[in-house]
Amino acid sequence: MRAKLIPNRCVGHAQCFAVNEDLFPIDDDGYSTFGDREIGPGDEAPIRQGVSACPEQALVIVE
Amino acid sequence: MDTVTRFDPRISGLSQQVKDLHDPQLVYMAKARDVRAEYIDGALHLYRHEDILAVNKHPDVLGNGGRGGSFGHDGRLIPLEIDGPDHRKWRRVLDPMFSPKRVGLMEEQIRELARGILEGVRADGGGDLNDLLCTPLPCQTFLSLVGAPLEDLEFFLEFKEGIIHPKGETTEEIDANMAVAGGKLLEYFDTFLKEKRTRLDEYDDVIANLMRAEFDGEPINEFDLINVLFLLLFAGLDTVTASLSCILAWFGKNPDRRAELVTEPDLLRVAIEELVRFESPVPSGMRYPQTDIDLGDGLIVPADTQVNAFWAAANVDPTYHADPLRVDFHREKLSHMAFASGIHRCIGSHLARLELKVAVGETLRILPEYDLDLSALTYDNVAVRTATSIPVSV
């Protein structure tokens, strides 16, 4: 599984960060720095929760 | 009423229909499920998550200030009521001052304050949690972050009451009363800022940082500085108070659910997200599309429509959230709009989350079984939903 950030969609809610601070890093202004990542099997569930926490659909799962 | 009249959510629209309801969520859910969108008092009310998201993401939509300023202040409030490049410029300066990392530095201070208050309530055998905790805790925290003197707390509280809950039955009366409250604050700041400027090096707070900030090599002028402080103060002083009051009232009404969290405090983080979703303290915001927007299935929002985006309905929209009236401490999809959506999302949301997490966590630890007098519980759902009286015994 891959997940990625569509950068211009992030407006800094940091609801992903509120779900999991380690898996969803943010910059000093509070905006996501998630990038584009391959997700290990152990992280799939929390990644899905953090991705679905974004009210802007800025984070997406790429199967 | 014709559509040229400016819609005033303080006296019109759906908010008036749910004014003092204990459970407006039932109305909001039915609106999202059955109605989707409707004109009330000349404003198009949008009730569904996907529709509101589409409007907020659209580049040609103005925010709350699309038809000029409000809140008893001349001109548009920064950054709530401005748009475009100017808005981006201000958010770039303000965002770091309210980022999760910056506000996180205040956690211990907030915890100590909450503990002191709650231990007092326990020793007294109870009291009104709105007066004792929900009002002073966020206000003291906010004044400390912003850099306004704590000894003037009463003055600031009077100011925010005058702005958020102004007296009056018509827009004119309300605005006149707001202007009085606004005038007092301007007078206060005029003296306060001059004094602060002489000792600027001693401070690391929002006001001092704004005084040091520059746009294109120019410092922020006094007029804009007072403008932004005006907004930060009335927004920051009221909304966390309101949110915390709703959440503590909810736990009082649902003691079995409270017991779940007392046993499993790790659920607190998701619980807070769920409770701000369910309670949606700021029920709606205004948006002004500058072009026609096609929302699909025959719903077109024409250019120049006054849109009342109902976050509170979107948050219990059954076409988006599964079982929306259930507060689910294990919910997977936490993408609520309690802090609005799009570029105008609440700048204080990270501070709010932190304060709620700490204050609720400490309440459950120190007063795990507080008993709420349900007959005395009252709500005000206009402008900001608040449990105005939360008498408990412990």
Side-chain angles (χ1 to χ4, degrees), chain A:
Chain A
M1 184 174 102
R2 291 189 73 77
K4 68 173 182 181
L5 169 75
I6 304 171
N8 55 6
R9 285 196 184 173
C10 177
V11 296
H13 286 275
Q15 277 171 224
C16 54
F17 179 81
V19 167
N20 192 314
E21 296 186 8
D22 301 322
L23 289 174
F24 294 95
I26 52 172
D27 64 19
D28 287 345
D29 295 352
Y31 289 73
S32 175
T33 55
F34 190 84
D36 186 341
R37 283 196 262 149
E38 190 63 40
I39 308 301
D43 287 339
E44 286 192 7
I47 286 284
R48 280 185 201 283
Q49 194 182 32
V51 166
S52 67
C54 178
E56 308 291 333
Q57 296 167 357
L59 289 165
V60 290
I61 304 272
V62 191
E63 294 298 341

Side-chain angles (χ1 to χ4, degrees), chain A residues 9 11-15 17-19 21 26-31 49 52-57, chain B residues 50 53 57 95-96 99-101 269 273 331-336 340-343 345 350 353:
Chain A
R9 285 196 184 173
V11 296
H13 286 275
Q15 277 171 224
F17 179 81
V19 167
E21 296 186 8
I26 52 172
D27 64 19
D28 287 345
D29 295 352
Y31 289 73
Q49 194 182 32
S52 67
C54 178
E56 308 291 333
Q57 296 167 357
Chain B
E50 296 283 0
L53 182 67
K57 281 159 91 91
D95 279 340
S99 73
K101 285 175 188 171
R269 194 143 64 163
E273 293 302 315
R331 186 177 291 274
E332 264 203 21
K333 194 157 90 176
L334 297 168
S335 50
H336 61 75
S341 84
I343 57 164
R345 66 106 190 141
H350 313 305
R353 276 199 179 90

